C-alpha cells in the first residue's frame, strides 16, 4: 500500500472545495444536517480514484451510507467533515479517510482544506502532521486541560445530558472549545493543541482516521461506558492525552447521565 500516493490523492480535493458554492448547491438531509454538491463531488472523486488504484478494496462513504464492517478491507471516507462550517465559510473543515484491513483501522489521513495541514497515522507506525511526528500533550488531569466538546448537532434530544456534562467540564477544566469538525477534534488532540475531545453519536466516518491518529500519537480513545469501543454508526467517544484525564471526564459523564 502506497500511503504517500493516497495522501497526495486526498490533497487534490482542495480544488473541488475551493469552487464557490451557491444556495442551490446546499441540500437539507435532516434537522441542522446539510449536504452540499461539494461533499458529493469530493466523495465521487476519491471513490473513483481509489477504485482505479486499489480495485480489490471496498468503499464506505458518508454520502452513500453505513454498512457493518466485516472481514474484507474497506476505505472509510468523510468527504467533508464540518459541512456546516464549510457552508458558513468558517475555514475549519477536513477530508477524513481511513483504511480498514478486515480487522482494524491501519491507516488514516485527515486533510484540513483551508490550512493545508495533513495529519496521518499508520498502525504501529506513528502519527504525523505535515510529515513530522506528533504527540499528545501529556496533560493528564482535568484541572489543567483544554477540552473540546462535540455537541451532537443532529441529535438535539441529547442536549440536556450533553450540556450538563459540558458545564461541569468547563468548571473543572481550564476552558472548553467547539470545533465543528470531529476529524479536526481528533487531530487537535493528537498534536497536543487540545487535551481532550468528547462527543456522542459519532458515525464511523467521523472518527475512523481520528481514532488511529490519537492512539498513534500516544493518546487514549475509549467509549463513554466501560468496555471496548465497537465500530458502528452510533459511537460515543472520548479521546484524551492520558488515562487519569480519561477517568476524570468519564466520572463527569456518569454523574450527569439521566
Ligand atoms: C459533523 C461534524 C461535527 C460533529 C458532528 C458530525 P459532518 O460531521 O464533525 O463537528 O459535531 O457530530 O456529524 O456532518 O459535518 O460531516
Ligand atoms: Ca462528519
Ligand atoms: Ca461529512
Amino acid at each position: 500500500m502506497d500511503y504517500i500516493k493516497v495522501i497526495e490523492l486526498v490533497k487534490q480535493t482542495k480544488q473541488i472545495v475551493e469552487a464557490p458554492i451557491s444556495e442551490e448547491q446546499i441540500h437539507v438531509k435532516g434537522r441542522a444536517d446539510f449536504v452540499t454538491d461539494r461533499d458529493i463531488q469530493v466523495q465521487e472523486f476519491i471513490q473513483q480514484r481509489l477504485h482505479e488504484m486499489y480495485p480489490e478494496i471496498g468503499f464506505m462513504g458518508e454520502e452513500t451510507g453505513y454498512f457493518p464492517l466485516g472481514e474484507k478491507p474497506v476505505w472509510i471516507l468523510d468527504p467533508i467533515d464540518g459541512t456546516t462550517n464549510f457552508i458558513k465559510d468558517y475555514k475549519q473543515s477536513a477530508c477524513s479517510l481511513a483504511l480498514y484491513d478486515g480487522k482494524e483501522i491501519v491507516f488514516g489521513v485527515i486533510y484540513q482544506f483551508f490550512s493545508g495541514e495533513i495529519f496521518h497515522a499508520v498502525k504501529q507506525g506513528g502519527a504525523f502532521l505535515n510529515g513530522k511526528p506528533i504527540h499528545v500533550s501529556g496533560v493528564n488531569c482535568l484541572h489543567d486541560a483544554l477540552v473540546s466538546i462535540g455537541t451532537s448537532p443532529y441529535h438535539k434530544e441529547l442536549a440536556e445530558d450533553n450540556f450538563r456534562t459540558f458545564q461541569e467540564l468547563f468548571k473543572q477544566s481550564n476552558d472548553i472549545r467547539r470545533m465543528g469538525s470531529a476529524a479536526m477534534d481528533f487531530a487537535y488532540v493528537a498534536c497536543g493543541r487540545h487535551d481532550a475531545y468528547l462527543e456522542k453519536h459519532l458515525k464511523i466516518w467521523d472518527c475512523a482516521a481520528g481514532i488511529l491518529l490519537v492512539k498513534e500519537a500516544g493518546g487514549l480513545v475509549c467509549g463513554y461506558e466501560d468496555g471496548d469501543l465497537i465500530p458502528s454508526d452510533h459511537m460515543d467517544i472520548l479521546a484524551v492525552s492520558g488515562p487519569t484525564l480519561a477517568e476524570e471526564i468519564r466520572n463527569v459523564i456518569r454523574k450527569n447521565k439521566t
Side-chain angles (χ1 to χ4, degrees), residues 232-243:
S232 78
D233 67 341
H234 250 66
M235 300 166 78
D236 300 344
I237 297 193
L238 174 57
V240 287
S241 70

Side-chain angles (χ1 to χ4, degrees), residues 29 33-34 39 62 78 80-84 150-154 178-183 185 197 199-203 205-206:
K29 281 207 275 193
D33 192 1
F34 305 96
D39 298 69
E62 173 172 13
D78 191 338
I80 299 182
D81 183 63
T83 294
T84 298
T151 54
S152 318
Y154 316 137
R178 165 65 178 149
M179 299 274 278
S181 161
D185 275 306
Y197 160 58
E199 182 155 9
K200 289 187 86 160
H201 287 19
L202 286 180
K203 308 271 190 193
W205 42 77
D206 296 318

Side-chain angles (χ1 to χ4, degrees), residues 103-122:
K103 285 198 199 81
E104 57 185 355
I105 304 295
V106 291
F107 168 73
V109 54
I110 295 171
Y111 173 49
Q112 213 285 24
F113 304 108
F114 305 101
S115 68
E117 288 183 319
I118 278 273
F119 296 85
H120 86 274
V122 177

Side-chain angles (χ1 to χ4, degrees), residues 142 147-150 152 158 160-170 172 196-201 222-226 235-240 245-258:
L142 189 51
V147 179
S148 188
I149 54 163
S152 318
L158 301 174
E160 278 74 24
D161 277 21
N162 269 343
F163 281 84
R164 263 199 315 275
T165 302
F166 299 156
Q167 174 164 318
E168 192 168 340
L169 289 175
F170 170 68
Q172 289 194 31
Y197 160 58
L198 70 160
E199 182 155 9
K200 289 187 86 160
H201 287 19
C222 56
Y224 275 33
E225 313 276 343
D226 291 329
M235 300 166 78
D236 300 344
I237 297 193
L238 174 57
V240 287
L245 178 56
E247 216 25 65
E248 283 184 278
I249 294 178
R250 275 173 140 194
N251 283 339
V252 174
I253 290 169
R254 273 184 214 117
K255 206 173 123 191
N256 289 288
K257 194 179 152 196
T258 42

Side-chain angles (χ1 to χ4, degrees), residues 77-229:
L77 176 74
D78 191 338
I80 299 182
D81 183 63
T83 294
T84 298
N85 282 354
F86 177 64
I87 291 168
K88 302 300 280 183
D89 199 23
Y90 200 80
K91 311 286 186 208
Q92 184 65 275
S93 308
C95 181
S96 176
L97 176 68
L99 177 62
Y100 170 80
D101 73 350
K103 285 198 199 81
E104 57 185 355
I105 304 295
V106 291
F107 168 73
V109 54
I110 295 171
Y111 173 49
Q112 213 285 24
F113 304 108
F114 305 101
S115 68
E117 288 183 319
I118 278 273
F119 296 85
H120 86 274
V122 177
K123 178 87 191 171
Q124 289 178 341
F128 304 85
L129 164 54
N130 295 338
K132 299 206 174 89
I134 50 172
H135 208 271
V136 292
S137 67
V139 170
N140 199 14
C141 69
L142 189 51
H143 183 269
D144 297 334
L146 181 59
V147 179
S148 188
I149 54 163
T151 54
S152 318
Y154 316 137
H155 299 276
K156 305 286 189 208
E157 73 281 5
L158 301 174
E160 278 74 24
D161 277 21
N162 269 343
F163 281 84
R164 263 199 315 275
T165 302
F166 299 156
Q167 174 164 318
E168 192 168 340
L169 289 175
F170 170 68
K171 285 184 181 169
Q172 289 194 31
S173 67
N174 273 343
D175 203 351
I176 57 176
R177 293 287 183 271
R178 165 65 178 149
M179 299 274 278
S181 161
M184 290 311 296
D185 275 306
F186 285 104
Y188 270 37
V189 172
C191 71
R193 292 177 191 162
H194 291 162
D195 306 307
Y197 160 58
L198 70 160
E199 182 155 9
K200 289 187 86 160
H201 287 19
L202 286 180
K203 308 271 190 193
I204 187 134
W205 42 77
D206 296 318
C207 61
I211 291 173
L212 181 66
L213 193 70
V214 171
K215 286 184 177 170
E216 286 295 323
L220 199 139
V221 184
C222 56
Y224 275 33
E225 313 276 343
D226 291 329
D228 290 342
L229 198 57

